[in-house]
Amino acid sequence: MKKNEKLNKWLWKWHFIAGLISLPFILLLSITGGIYLFKTDYEASTQKAIKEVTIQENTIPLQQQWEIANKAAIKKPNAMIISDRKNQATEFVSGRFSGKSSVYIDPYTGKVSGEIVTRNTDMYKIRKLHGELLMGTFGTKIVELIASWMVVLILTGLYVWWPSRGWNLKGFFIPRIKEGKRTFYRDIHAITGFWISGMLILVLAGGFPWTDVFGSNFKTVQKITNTGFPNTWQGIGLQSNSDTKPISLDQMVAKAKALQLPGSVKIHFPKGPKGVFSVSNTNPSDLDTQQKIHFDQYTGKMLLKNNWQDVGILMRGRMWVMAFHQGEFGTWNWILMLCIAILLTIMSTAALVSFLIRKRKGSWGVPKVPHTFNIGYGIVTIIGILAVVFPLFGASVLILLLIELIKKMRKKRKVAFSV
């Protein structure tokens, strides 16, 4: 591919500026993302005293455990996780996401082994630092803006990296180690960026659904196109016939176990006398096996069964990239995400070192673009598409254009006054 050198300099300028502004945030995101990958192992150790119990001969009924949990929990539980190990306390769940709390009942003694409030955990703080910089919705928008510019950094970086005078192994695929520190660190940054660029796009795709503006727009598109969760997934419109006594939780758990669902299985409790029991499983390693099944709370009769194929394609794609982002597809995925977090940290650090070596005193060293360069329609179209897909990026571009316009107006005024 023959490169337009003027375009190359223009893209290099904006890659440089955007990278310099984004660099501290990218380092923070890569480091906190890498730490969060250890959530399961960390919490297994720190929460062991709450989640694990001493195995005894007999267990008390789950219905009785539910009654104990209702009295002990901060909020009345709306679901229960089915235990798959004998030394595991029974987990009763209240709320979702950041509002989630779990009370654990010893199935042998009926004692409360402890309660875990998600927002009070160490890993929740790491996640909030990663997702919103501990600044609430304002921080979420900053992270979304940085993530949007990261897409631009990847695209512009690939163009700048692309050789204009033929291919060479050194400098394009492996770093040059005998041409000075600046060249070495520049190569570390550029070559690492090349090798992980595709994976970074996929990782970013898995993070965008959590954002405010893009995430909200994506949900709107899902709703309009009817490609999200179907109403039946949440059991909307389903009712239990209250003619008899409700079945016990033990009976409901027996029915859930008979389904032999893989992964973590949860029973959602009925909401009121007309509500239904709902059984669902979370199995990120094989999303296609996930189901949501609803039962009459009085007869135990299956009312409706939803398979993963009943979920709209955009929601299925969204859940796939989000699971990939969190390394939930197994050991290979976890290792890959950890490697990407480490390489992104190395790549960003190398860029900073290269900049500091290159920078002259009293100057930021921003690359210069020939005055004769004009942005073509192709670049304008690409920027327009990115601005529509990533609204915060579009807003930032408008601000940059406004700043450039003000600078030009000031220059014209200075020339006019000097004449």
Side-chain angles (χ1 to χ4, degrees):
M1 181 183 75
K2 188 176 180 181
K3 291 172 69 173
N4 182 323
E5 289 303 321
K6 290 182 180 179
L7 174 61
N8 189 75
K9 289 179 180 179
W10 185 80
L11 290 175
W12 164 224
K13 173 187 175 182
W14 287 109
H15 181 86
F16 178 90
I17 294 172
L20 201 59
I21 296 170
S22 304
L23 189 59
F25 299 99
I26 294 173
L27 276 170
L28 180 63
L29 292 175
S30 59
I31 292 170
T32 52
I35 293 173
Y36 194 74
L37 287 170
F38 291 90
K39 176 180 182 292
T40 301
D41 293 328
Y42 175 78
E43 292 185 342
S45 174
T46 57
Q47 299 172 357
K48 185 177 180 180
I50 294 176
K51 293 182 176 180
E52 292 188 9
V53 297
T54 302
I55 299 175
Q56 298 182 34
E57 187 175 351
N58 298 312
T59 61
I60 63 174
L62 287 167
Q63 184 70 31
Q64 186 178 338
Q65 293 181 48
W66 185 10
E67 292 167 3
I68 295 170
N70 279 334
K71 294 177 182 178
I74 297 173
K75 297 179 182 177
K76 191 173 181 179
N78 53 26
M80 185 202 85
I81 307 296
I82 296 180
S83 302
D84 55 4
R85 289 183 293 145
K86 290 185 178 181
N87 68 335
Q88 203 170 30
T90 308
E91 180 182 359
F92 289 89
V93 182
S94 305
R96 299 193 306 161
F97 309 125
S98 61
K100 177 185 174 184
S101 62
S102 295
V103 63
Y104 292 83
I105 308 297
D106 187 322
Y108 302 98
T109 65
K111 292 182 179 179
V112 178
S113 60
E115 186 163 15
I116 298 173
V117 180
T118 298
R119 64 173 62 252
N120 294 337
T121 61
D122 295 332
M123 280 298 173
Y124 176 81
K125 294 179 178 66
I126 294 295
R127 180 167 184 165
K128 284 298 177 181
L129 182 59
H130 180 77
E132 59 184 45
L133 310 177
L134 301 181
M135 292 191 291
T137 55
F138 178 71
T140 303
K141 289 179 175 63
I142 292 177
V143 171
E144 181 177 353
L145 178 61
I146 297 301
S148 302
W149 272 100
M150 282 182 71
V151 175
V152 177
L153 284 169
I154 292 168
L155 297 177
T156 56
L158 285 172
Y159 189 91
V160 172
W161 167 88
W162 195 274
S164 57
R165 297 193 182 109
W167 295 92
N168 193 332
L169 185 64
K170 292 183 178 179
F172 291 105
F173 298 104
I174 58 173
R176 292 165 286 184
I177 59 177
K178 296 181 180 180
E179 298 187 24
K181 290 183 179 180
R182 176 184 165 187
T183 299
F184 173 74
Y185 286 109
R186 174 265 174 203
D187 284 356
I188 289 291
H189 171 73
I191 294 168
T192 304
F194 162 74
W195 284 112
I196 69 172
S197 57
M199 283 293 102
L200 275 180
I201 291 290
L202 197 54
V203 171
L204 288 170
F208 274 115
W210 277 295
T211 59
D212 285 351
V213 182
F214 178 94
S216 177
N217 291 344
F218 191 85
K219 289 176 184 177
T220 300
V221 172
Q222 280 184 174
K223 187 174 181 180
I224 293 172
T225 58
N226 195 29
T227 51
F229 280 114
N231 288 336
T232 52
W233 190 269
Q234 303 300 335
I236 296 176
L238 295 179
Q239 289 187 348
S240 295
N241 294 315
S242 54
D243 296 333
T244 58
K245 183 180 178 182
I247 62 172
S248 69
L249 183 57
D250 299 78
Q251 291 173 298
M252 188 61 245
V253 169
K255 289 180 178 293
K257 287 183 175 180
L259 297 170
Q260 297 184 334
L261 299 174
S264 175
V265 181
K266 179 187 288 187
I267 293 181
H268 307 261
F269 301 144
K271 295 178 181 179
K274 289 288 185 178
V276 299
F277 276 112
S278 299
V279 178
S280 65
N281 64 317
T282 302
N283 190 31
S285 60
D286 188 2
L287 294 174
D288 288 339
T289 63
Q290 295 186 159
Q291 297 180 23
K292 189 76 172 283
I293 307 163
H294 306 285
F295 295 83
D296 187 300
Q297 67 166 302
Y298 298 98
T299 64
K301 179 183 177 182
M302 183 186 296
L303 301 176
L304 183 66
K305 179 179 180 181
N306 286 285
N307 296 314
W308 192 243
Q309 290 70 28
D310 299 324
V311 179
I313 188 169
L314 285 185
M315 177 58 78
R316 280 186 281 150
R318 171 186 171 185
M319 298 302 290
W320 192 96
V321 292
M322 289 171 74
F324 181 85
H325 182 93
Q326 298 183 100
E328 294 181 336
F329 287 136
T331 304
W332 69 268
N333 186 197
W334 186 90
I335 293 174
L336 180 60
M337 290 300 100
L338 182 61
C339 287
I340 289 174
I342 293 171
L343 289 173
L344 183 57
T345 303
I346 292 172
M347 182 180 75
S348 302
T349 304
L352 178 60
V353 174
S354 178
F355 164 73
L356 293 174
I357 294 173
R358 177 180 183 272
K359 184 181 179 298
R360 294 180 181 179
K361 191 175 181 180
S363 171
W364 286 100
V366 178
K368 294 182 179 180
V369 179
H371 295 292
T372 55
F373 173 73
N374 291 314
I375 303 174
Y377 291 114
I379 297 298
V380 172
T381 301
I382 293 172
I383 293 174
I385 293 171
L386 290 172
V388 172
V389 177
F390 307 113
L392 292 185
F393 164 75
S396 66
V397 168
L398 290 176
I399 293 172
L400 289 172
L401 288 174
L402 182 61
I403 292 171
E404 287 291 314
L405 181 62
I406 292 172
K407 284 182 178 180
K408 287 181 179 180
M409 290 175 65
R410 283 182 176 178
K411 284 183 180 180
K412 286 182 179 180
R413 285 181 182 178
K414 284 182 180 181
V415 172
F417 282 126
S418 63
V419 172

